[in-house]
Amino acid sequence: MLGCKVEGTPPVRITWRKNGVELADSTHSTVLANGSLMIRHFLLDGGGSPSDEGDYECVAQNRFGLVVSRKARIQAATMSDFHVHPQATVGEEGGVARFQCQIHGLPKPLITWEKNRVPIDTDNERYTLLPKGVLQITGLRAEDSGVFHCVASNIASVRVSRGARLTVTGSGSGAYKEPTILVGPENLTLTVHQTAVLECVATGNPRPIVSWSRLDGRPIGVEGIQVLGTGNLIISDVTVQHSGVYVCAANRPGTRVRRTAQGRLVVQAPAEFVQHPQSISRPVGTTAMFTCQAQGEPPPHVTWLKNGQVLGPGGHVRLKNNNSTLTISGIGPEDEAIYQCVAENSAGSSQASARLTVLWAEGLPGPPLNVQAVSVSSTEVRVSWTEPLVNTREIIGYVLHIRKAADPPELEYQEAVSKSTFQHLVSDLEPSTAYSFYIKAYTPRGASSASAPTLASTLGEAPAPPPLSVRVLGSSTLQLLWEPWPRLAQHEGGFKLFYRPASKASFTGPILLPGAVSSYNLSQLDPTAVYEVKLLAYNQHGDGNATVRFVSLRGAAERTALSPPCDCRKEEATNQTSTTGIVIGIHIGVTCIIFCVLFLLFGQRGRVLLCKDVENQLSPPQGPRSQRDPGILALNGAGRAERAQLGRDRKLVDVKELEQLFPRAGAMQPHPRPTDPEAPALCEETQLSMLPLQGFSLLEEMPSEALPPQDVGPGLPSEGLAAQPAPSGP
């Protein structure tokens, strides 16, 4: 019996489908009053009657539409023969023994074990039964010896495997044995909420410690996790987050010696909806959109049904975003239905439904009539029509729908037209292209139904002149380059190439080239001639205008004759030297510009007049300011010979002396103008903020060998200022 519960506005009619075909009522299968399906005598293939195995779905229908339930599969219970029987085993006392059997059945068989034809004691902690048909015995004893059988049972049958004898020998020598993993975890694929059993059997002396981890480093967790026997990992109620690679490790106690084995767990989740489609109402002629988003593992496939029938893209129906969005444009009364979103993957399926109600206003105009489209040029089409037959009084305008005939409906665009106009010139179209047109009339209450579509193709035209460049490859070879035009091949076109020496009247050519070609070489030309090259594109409408180039090979021939073979290494070194010189020149130029700008800025605040007669050396201050000024000028205006003299004298200047030489501007007093006409001319007002800048200019100009050592402070070495490295760091 298959149940089906339906809710909706009565009367509701319930039917059933088997493998997509409606089931007729018969004595063999009956639809009960509550909608359930009863199959009284389940049949398999044979005896001339069809099998009852298959996929069943419930179908409910009322005056608003039709919905289909998710599928339910009916299969006959079966039991195969054992394809893996347990094998005889010999083990030492204190060791481990393992038996395994495998058998297929529907439903999955329940596996139990017998020893000497007696069910084993499941309360014995040394006996571990795993659901996949494995029996583990740890800490072997002499009384464990015997014959073991695997028993599989389900509603179809009960089967017993061949016997396997376990022989327990005396205890081992007690010698050290490396840790060994006898059986590691297998790869598993499960569905959420099932139980995962990851087996791990390890031996060794001393007995190894079994531990589990994930290969990705994430914690396994504790909820729903348990260890069965001596090392089997059990994960109850698995989720998608449990998917991953699990590593079983067998460690020798107290050491880092270990052995590992790993297995992958894949957890699938049936499709479930994140966003259900919503029922909507839309006026006739508008667009309706349904959105349905589902998740699952693996990602589900989404299918749409309209009143129980599969709905595919085409016409005014579009599917986007991996079928998660259904769009119906220009809806009419025939689109009113129940739409279902069916999400399905290998783990299961789910469905959700929504209703589309089309609102039809009374008194809407009929569709425009006699729609015609005529090509005017290669980029224009004139569309004309006549007004509808009925309800034309409230028309406020028309909307013309345009798209390329080869494009899908979602690439359609519209242009509005006034109500008093019954023709429209559509421009900016592509040459030699077919277009589809239809039109609707609009009123304040809604749009009319669409007119019958009409097709028209724009006129063709010859191609435009192609852009052409010419490269001289040698004394007798030219390379012609242009952009490829693949569309020329679609219109029976390509390129035509002509060339001639400028002194001759006739061209060589045409050389026909496909539209996808973008270059051509002309060789064996006269090195002393000037050539005229002409390239044009053509199609079924004729030849386009040509692009003409004139090029001389004479210069290339002379360069080839006069130029010796290149010394690549020498040329490379020259290029590097040239580049270095350019970079240095740029840096010098930028530096000069910066100093000029700074000089002009500070020059607005004060002026410093440099004098001709300057003392030859820089002396420590011995008197009032009037006696120190010539020394200041000497530092800022000394010539190259005087700087050399400074270097020879190697005068030491400490910080305090520099402060005396360059006191703060606030400490300066106006200097009286000298009366001696032979004395150096000084500035009336000296702005000492200029002096550090001039001093830096002096250091830039002086050669490093001419600079005297400077005492820059107590405890620091005296070095030439020009040779000091720049400080590192901020």
Side-chain angles (χ1 to χ4, degrees):
M1 182 180 293
L2 298 176
C4 178
K5 182 179 179 181
V6 179
E7 294 179 354
T9 303
V12 177
R13 178 174 176 265
I14 296 178
T15 57
W16 284 83
R17 295 176 184 172
K18 173 190 171 185
N19 297 331
V21 179
E22 184 172 343
L23 282 175
D25 283 337
S26 66
T27 56
H28 180 66
S29 60
T30 306
V31 178
L32 304 182
N34 62 0
S36 299
L37 176 67
M38 169 71 76
I39 301 176
R40 302 186 184 278
H41 301 285
F42 185 80
L43 299 176
L44 292 175
D45 285 330
S49 299
S51 170
D52 289 321
E53 287 187 306
D55 292 333
Y56 290 77
E57 52 194 355
C58 174
V59 181
Q61 185 175 11
N62 65 5
R63 62 188 179 90
F64 297 107
L66 179 149
V67 292
V68 180
S69 72
R70 66 181 183 183
K71 296 177 181 178
R73 177 166 295 175
I74 298 180
Q75 294 175 282
T78 60
M79 177 79 78
S80 69
D81 292 329
F82 282 96
H83 52 276
V84 173
H85 288 268
Q87 302 295 318
T89 303
V90 177
E92 297 177 349
E93 284 192 12
V96 177
R98 178 182 182 273
F99 296 104
Q100 181 179 12
C101 67
Q102 289 184 2
I103 190 171
H104 290 312
L106 283 174
K108 185 177 180 180
L110 173 66
I111 304 296
T112 59
W113 289 86
E114 295 178 350
K115 175 189 173 185
N116 299 329
R117 294 295 183 178
V118 177
I120 64 173
D121 183 9
T122 56
D123 294 332
N124 191 334
E125 294 182 353
R126 296 188 302 110
Y127 285 70
T128 302
L129 279 70
L130 302 183
K132 62 178 183 177
V134 172
L135 171 64
Q136 298 173 358
I137 308 174
T138 58
L140 286 174
R141 301 173 184 173
E143 60 266 24
D144 293 325
S145 297
V147 178
F148 290 80
H149 291 84
C150 172
V151 181
S153 60
N154 66 6
I155 60 174
S157 180
V158 176
R159 297 190 186 276
V160 180
S161 71
R162 294 194 295 263
R165 180 172 295 277
L166 170 61
T167 303
V168 181
T169 63
S171 60
S173 62
Y176 168 75
K177 292 182 180 179
E178 287 280 346
T180 303
I181 296 179
L182 298 179
V183 180
E186 297 178 346
N187 295 334
L188 293 177
T189 300
L190 303 176
T191 305
V192 290
H193 309 307
Q194 290 184 326
T195 298
V197 179
L198 300 173
E199 185 181 9
C200 187
V201 180
T203 63
N205 191 17
R207 187 175 182 179
I209 299 173
V210 176
S211 61
W212 286 89
S213 63
R214 287 178 61 113
L215 189 61
D216 58 9
R218 293 170 52 193
I220 294 179
V222 294
E223 186 175 355
I225 306 295
Q226 62 177 326
V227 176
L228 189 61
T230 59
N232 306 293
L233 182 66
I234 309 297
I235 307 176
S236 303
D237 193 21
V238 294
T239 64
V240 175
Q241 286 70 31
H242 286 121
S243 295
V245 177
Y246 289 79
V247 180
C248 165
N251 295 70
R252 178 188 173 191
T255 69
R256 301 176 68 91
V257 178
R258 61 183 296 182
R259 297 291 183 270
T260 61
Q262 63 186 34
R264 180 179 296 275
L265 172 62
V266 177
V267 181
Q268 297 183 341
E272 62 178 356
F273 290 106
V274 178
Q275 181 179 357
H276 291 74
Q278 302 295 320
S279 297
I280 55 175
S281 299
R282 292 289 182 270
V284 65
T286 59
T287 298
M289 180 181 296
F290 295 102
T291 300
C292 168
Q293 294 184 356
Q295 65 181 10
E297 185 61 37
H301 174 70
V302 174
T303 305
W304 288 90
L305 306 179
K306 175 186 176 182
N307 284 338
Q309 301 298 320
V310 176
L311 185 64
H316 65 312
V317 176
R318 303 191 298 273
L319 295 175
K320 298 186 296 183
N321 303 325
N322 292 327
N323 290 359
S324 63
T325 302
L326 169 65
T327 303
I328 309 170
S329 57
I331 60 174
E334 68 280 1
D335 296 309
E336 186 167 282
I338 295 179
Y339 293 83
Q340 282 183 272
C341 172
V342 180
E344 190 172 10
N345 64 6
S346 57
S349 65
S350 187
Q351 66 85 28
S353 59
R355 179 186 172 202
L356 171 61
T357 302
V358 179
L359 304 177
W360 180 265
E362 294 293 335
L364 290 177
L369 304 175
N370 302 323
V371 180
Q372 295 181 351
V374 179
S375 297
V376 177
S377 69
S378 60
T379 60
E380 295 177 323
V381 172
R382 187 179 304 278
V383 182
S384 60
W385 63 94
T386 58
E387 65 178 3
L389 292 177
V390 295
N391 301 325
T392 60
R393 185 176 303 174
E394 296 184 8
I395 292 178
I396 58 176
Y398 297 91
V399 173
L400 180 62
H401 297 251
I402 309 156
R403 68 176 174 90
K404 291 181 182 178
D407 283 350
E410 55 263 28
L411 296 182
E412 174 187 282
Y413 65 97
Q414 299 88 32
E415 293 185 8
V417 185
S418 68
K419 65 177 182 179
S420 59
T421 302
F422 298 101
Q423 64 177 4
H424 183 69
L425 184 65
V426 183
S427 57
D428 296 329
L429 304 178
E430 295 184 8
S432 302
T433 304
Y435 285 86
S436 172
F437 306 91
Y438 69 90
I439 194 166
K440 292 182 180 180
Y442 276 79
T443 70
R445 291 186 290 176
S448 71
S449 55
S451 69
T454 185
L455 295 175
S457 296
T458 53
L459 300 177
E461 63 179 0
L468 174 64
S469 61
V470 182
R471 179 185 299 170
V472 179
L473 296 183
S475 60
S476 62
T477 304
L478 294 177
Q479 184 181 40
L480 312 180
L481 302 169
W482 63 91
E483 291 293 330
W485 290 1
R487 289 194 60 187
L488 285 176
Q490 303 174 8
H491 301 285
E492 304 173 7
F495 295 101
K496 292 182 180 180
L497 175 63
F498 304 84
Y499 70 97
R500 68 175 178 181
S503 59
K504 293 187 177 181
S506 60
F507 280 95
T508 300
I511 301 173
L512 299 180
L513 301 171
V517 171
S518 61
S519 66
Y520 189 79
N521 289 355
L522 296 176
S523 57
Q524 298 180 353
L525 303 177
D526 183 358
T528 63
V530 175
Y531 278 86
E532 179 183 358
V533 180
K534 184 167 64 173
L535 180 71
L536 60 86
Y538 70 93
N539 59 17
Q540 74 270 32
H541 300 289
D543 294 349
N545 293 328
T547 302
V548 180
R549 295 286 183 267
F550 289 88
V551 60
S552 173
L553 291 169
R554 186 176 305 161
E558 293 173 355
R559 286 194 299 271
T560 303
L562 296 176
S563 299
C566 91
D567 185 348
C568 296
R569 293 184 179 178
K570 182 177 179 181
E571 185 176 345
E572 181 180 355
T574 303
N575 289 341
Q576 290 178 352
T577 304
S578 262
T579 304
T580 305
I582 292 172
V583 172
I584 292 174
I586 292 173
H587 278 279
I588 292 174
V590 173
T591 304
C592 290
I593 292 172
I594 293 174
F595 277 106
C596 289
V597 172
L598 290 175
F599 183 83
L600 291 175
L601 289 175
F602 285 108
Q604 298 300 325
R605 299 173 57 189
R607 296 177 297 124
V608 177
L609 299 179
L610 302 182
C611 308
K612 297 181 180 178
D613 299 323
V614 193
E615 292 183 5
N616 291 332
Q617 61 183 3
L618 181 61
S619 302
Q622 301 294 336
R625 171 192 164 103
S626 60
Q627 300 175 6
R628 300 202 313 266
D629 283 343
I632 298 175
L633 296 175
L635 177 63
N636 291 278
R640 187 173 299 274
E642 289 137 343
R643 294 187 212 128
Q645 179 66 31
L646 287 176
R648 288 191 296 270
D649 293 344
R650 302 187 65 84
K651 283 292 200 176
L652 299 180
V653 183
D654 65 10
V655 175
K656 293 182 179 180
E657 291 173 342
L658 291 175
E659 290 179 353
Q660 292 172 355
L661 285 172
F662 304 109
R664 298 182 180 275
M668 294 298 297
Q669 300 297 329
H671 193 284
R673 185 178 298 275
T675 57
D676 186 358
E678 300 296 329
L682 300 179
C683 304
E684 294 182 2
E685 294 183 3
T686 301
Q687 197 76 13
L688 288 185
S689 59
M690 284 292 296
L691 292 177
L693 174 63
Q694 293 168 338
F696 181 70
S697 298
L698 175 63
L699 293 181
E700 288 290 327
E701 295 173 2
M702 291 177 64
S704 59
E705 64 272 9
L707 285 173
Q710 303 296 319
D711 186 2
V712 294
L716 299 177
S718 297
E719 299 178 355
L721 292 179
Q724 285 185 349
S728 61

